[in-house]
Amino acid sequence: MTTMPPVESKATQQDEWEDGAQDPEFKPLTREEARQWRASQPVFSVWRLVGVQLLAGVATGLLGWLLMQSVSVGWSVLYGAASVVIPSALMAYGLTSSALARLTSGFAQAAFAGFLLWEGVKVLLVVAMLWLAPTVVPELNWLGLLAGLVVVLKVYWLGLWIQTRRSNENG
């Protein structure tokens, strides 16, 4: 039976992740520096994201109808897109324009609770719309519905990619 040699630690006396390591001195921004930083950050609108989702959904529905030469495929794609756009618009309204949003705007914990509330409403509405899809759309094409849903969901990633590109360009 062979024994393994003892393991030796190569860590220094005070590793950078240990407690007690010296952090660089924190310097809060002045009012003017904070204003300049805010001005350099790109403005992000949830309503613009919902609008782009709507455009992507309509374009995908038209493309599905033209490529497949089937009205039911076009309606299925549009309904799949609407299953994302309508709940997203409701959540955007709830977070930006509702009385609850105005009431909780100054309190971080209450605003977070409002976000969770509207996210729950959004998820329930998506599930209800998908549950009702066979009764709402005649001759429902499930692949078309899924295509519309996925394309519109991917708009979030497109928005995130554009936002990070703008942030990188601004420094």
Side-chain angles (χ1 to χ4, degrees):
M1 181 164 130
T2 61
T3 60
M4 295 186 61
V7 177
E8 294 181 24
S9 174
K10 295 181 180 173
T12 60
Q13 186 76 2
Q14 192 170 22
D15 201 15
E16 64 184 60
W17 294 102
E18 284 186 33
D19 286 340
Q22 294 296 323
D23 289 333
E25 191 64 32
F26 175 75
K27 179 185 168 273
L29 297 176
T30 65
R31 183 179 299 244
E32 182 60 27
E33 288 172 333
R35 187 194 61 73
Q36 288 174 350
W37 180 82
R38 275 190 221 102
S40 71
Q41 300 303 307
V43 177
F44 181 74
S45 168
V46 293
W47 289 108
R48 184 179 300 152
L49 178 64
V50 171
V52 172
Q53 283 183 321
L54 179 65
L55 289 173
V58 170
T60 306
L62 288 172
L63 189 65
W65 173 60
L66 291 172
L67 290 177
M68 301 304 289
Q69 294 294 309
S70 171
V71 175
S72 66
V73 170
W75 282 116
S76 298
V77 172
L78 284 174
Y79 190 82
S83 297
V84 176
V85 173
I86 293 171
S88 293
L90 180 64
M91 184 176 177
Y93 169 77
L95 291 176
T96 61
S97 306
S98 69
L100 180 63
R102 288 189 297 274
L103 197 66
T104 62
S105 65
F107 307 99
Q109 291 175 333
F112 180 67
F115 171 79
L116 291 178
L117 170 79
W118 286 107
E119 184 66 26
V121 168
K122 180 177 120 176
V123 168
L124 289 174
L125 185 55
V126 168
V127 170
M129 287 182 74
L130 292 176
W131 183 270
L132 292 172
T135 57
V136 173
V137 180
E139 299 179 33
L140 178 68
N141 182 305
W142 284 102
L143 287 177
L145 181 131
L146 184 64
L149 191 112
V150 168
V151 166
V152 174
L153 280 174
K154 293 301 176 186
V155 170
Y156 283 120
W157 290 104
L158 177 67
L160 180 64
W161 178 70
I162 290 171
Q163 189 73 15
T164 55
R165 271 193 53 217
R166 285 183 183 166
S167 295
N168 290 340
E169 289 172 1
N170 288 339

